[in-house]
Amino acid sequence: MEYREIGHTGMKVSQLSFGASSLGGVFRDIDEGKAIEAVYAAVEGGINFIDVSPYYGHYKAETVLGKALRGISRDKYYLSTKVGRYGKDGVNTWDYSGKRAEESVCESMERLGIDFIDLINVHDIEFADLSQVVEETLPALVGLREKGVVGHVGITDLQLENLKWVIEHSAPGTVESVLNFCHYCLNDDKLLDFLPFFEERGIGVINASPLSMGLLSNRGVPDWHPAPKPLVEACRKAAEYCNEAGYPIEKLALQYSVDNPRIATTLFSSANPDNVRRNIAIVSEKAPEELVSAVRAIIADQLRVSWKNS
């Protein structure tokens, strides 16, 4: 496993990291015992960065992860969670006020059974008034950083332009990392265009969803996936091509996403310990360049086609 620093935070994290959204039953029902074992498998396999949110499973992911973390030494992992997106009784809610952000951090620490959060993020800022993020949410989190409650502050979003705008309108040093998803994978490498901007400011980059929320899989996309149909069809053809080559597209996609040294880490999520061990083994190998080129040629005019978050 390769380790890279997130910006200038001092956190050297594994190139592949564990996203705990699956622990909230976000994608399907889970076996809690196996989900906890999946966390153990990640840490035992060399993964030292874990990302979660109160939004995932409407607090369930943090609760299940907290049970797992009780069995893991605190010096074995860095923990990232978020503020801004929540939910209850199946209804999504949003609150980016400074007061709620401070309350949310305390609540997350209680669910997770920890007394310090290494990285706190403003979650999916496209759902917020970006000015409120700059003027209220981030200052509240910086205040917690100054008090030593959290170590570092970041922002997350699907839309790279939003991340850039908030950084440009915030005091230098406010934002230390960004988390972006579906923009550094086989079908979309738009993140590359923004790397110089982040690097010039010493901001670390976290990548997520190397399978593009299921587009790059043999299972195919779930019904809720917002990708346009031509992109879905192009990725289906790419998956078929990989199968014919004897190289599953999931394997290729994961290897491609973790290989860029300018990106600190790539998050994947699974509540299955066998999948966790398999993915750790996969990233020990490099993606075949010829197959990467062939797949991107199949996706062709659908490369960098994106969608709005939901």
Side-chain angles (χ1 to χ4, degrees):
M1 185 76 71
E2 184 178 332
Y3 295 84
R4 306 165 183 157
E5 185 176 0
I6 299 178
H8 295 161
T9 64
M11 294 190 292
K12 291 197 72 173
V13 299
S14 47
Q15 67 189 112
L16 182 68
S17 50
F18 186 81
S21 56
S22 291
L23 275 56
V26 173
F27 307 114
R28 57 191 64 86
D29 291 337
I30 64 162
D31 177 313
E32 187 172 297
K34 282 193 171 295
I36 291 171
E37 187 184 341
V39 181
Y40 294 159
V43 176
E44 290 165 3
I47 288 175
N48 72 343
F49 184 74
I50 301 171
D51 177 79
V52 70
S53 168
Y55 171 68
Y56 301 146
H58 294 171
Y59 309 109
K60 181 178 179 180
E62 284 191 332
T63 301
V64 175
L65 178 59
K67 294 178 181 179
L69 294 180
R70 293 187 184 98
I72 304 172
S73 174
R74 186 63 179 89
D75 62 358
K76 295 291 186 183
Y77 63 88
Y78 294 108
L79 183 70
S80 163
T81 192
K82 308 179 181 76
V83 303
R85 290 197 79 174
Y86 310 100
K88 187 177 180 181
D89 299 327
V91 178
N92 296 333
T93 60
W94 295 263
D95 187 340
Y96 293 89
S97 66
K99 180 176 182 293
R100 183 68 187 106
E102 292 174 350
E103 293 171 348
S104 181
V105 169
C106 293
E107 292 167 6
S108 287
M109 289 195 295
E110 185 173 344
R111 281 188 291 269
L112 292 161
I114 59 174
D115 58 9
F116 178 78
I117 294 171
D118 298 284
L119 174 62
I120 190 70
N121 298 283
V122 187
H123 197 178
D124 286 345
I125 58 174
E126 69 185 270
F127 292 104
D129 176 340
L130 296 184
S131 295
Q132 183 184 29
V133 172
V134 171
E135 297 166 6
E136 189 174 346
T137 326
L138 284 170
L141 299 183
V142 168
L144 294 178
R145 183 175 67 189
E146 291 171 348
K147 293 175 182 177
V149 177
V150 303
H152 306 282
V153 174
I155 52 178
T156 88
D157 204 7
L158 172 65
Q159 310 300 335
L160 285 154
E161 294 80 3
N162 289 342
L163 298 174
K164 183 173 183 285
W165 191 95
V166 167
I167 292 165
E168 288 175 330
H169 290 80
S170 300
T174 297
V175 176
E176 298 172 88
S177 69
V178 295
L179 190 162
N180 181 250
F181 56 102
C182 295
H183 286 311
Y184 192 74
C185 44
L186 282 172
N187 60 293
D188 191 334
D189 60 1
K190 183 179 178 181
L191 179 56
L192 292 176
D193 294 351
F194 290 77
L195 287 181
F197 173 85
F198 299 135
E199 289 168 342
E200 288 167 5
R201 290 156 179 79
I203 294 171
V205 178
I206 299 165
N207 179 40
S209 199
L211 305 188
S212 201
M213 293 162 52
L215 275 173
L216 302 170
S217 70
N218 281 291
R219 177 182 290 167
V221 297
D223 292 339
W224 51 261
H225 201 294
K229 289 182 179 178
L231 173 58
V232 173
E233 178 62 15
C235 290
R236 184 190 65 77
K237 290 179 180 177
E240 289 179 353
Y241 181 88
C242 287
N243 287 337
E244 292 168 3
Y247 208 98
I249 195 168
E250 295 93 340
K251 180 178 180 179
L252 186 73
L254 191 59
Q255 290 171 337
Y256 174 84
S257 288
V258 302
D259 197 40
N260 191 324
R262 298 169 71 189
I263 296 170
T265 188
T266 292
L267 289 159
F268 80 98
S269 187
S270 177
N272 183 323
D274 293 333
N275 288 343
V276 172
R277 297 185 187 101
R278 185 181 306 115
N279 285 346
I280 291 171
I282 282 172
V283 301
S284 66
E285 307 169 6
K286 299 284 187 181
E289 292 183 10
E290 289 185 2
L291 187 55
V292 168
S293 297
V295 163
R296 288 172 64 81
I298 291 168
I299 298 173
D301 63 353
Q302 294 302 302
L303 288 171
R304 295 197 174 194
V305 171
S306 191
W307 53 83
K308 291 288 186 182
N309 203 354
S310 61

